[in-house]
Amino acid sequence: MIFKFSNPELLSPTGQIYDLSGALVANCAPGPNPDDSLEWHGKSSDHVIVPGGIYLYQVTLNAKSWTGTVVGAR
């Protein structure tokens, strides 16, 4: 999953993936263009492929955050 966004000020973005209980699954890595993208490879923080299901994401850039859902399918 690649999260792409506008970042004209070249701030440092962060992103997290959570399960539906709110537990942190993983932090997003820098994307193909680290200034305006983050990515998640469908793995937990300990590099294990997560089960199929619905996950929540939060992308933060400066003081603004965006949240939503992403579906992991097998």
Side-chain angles (χ1 to χ4, degrees):
M1 174 66 147
I2 295 178
F3 302 94
K4 182 111 170 94
F5 42 84
S6 176
N7 186 10
E9 297 174 2
L10 301 177
L11 302 169
S12 296
T14 61
Q16 292 80 30
I17 305 295
Y18 299 91
D19 65 18
L20 290 179
S21 73
L24 180 65
V25 173
N27 290 304
C28 295
N33 183 352
D35 292 330
D36 65 6
S37 63
L38 293 168
E39 63 185 343
W40 178 51
H41 295 285
K43 296 180 180 180
S44 65
S45 294
D46 54 356
H47 307 289
V48 175
I49 296 174
V50 299
I54 299 172
Y55 294 87
L56 307 172
Y57 69 83
Q58 180 177 29
V59 172
T60 304
L61 186 61
N62 200 9
K64 296 180 182 177
S65 291
W66 294 268
T67 59
T69 57
V70 60
V71 176
R74 296 192 153 256

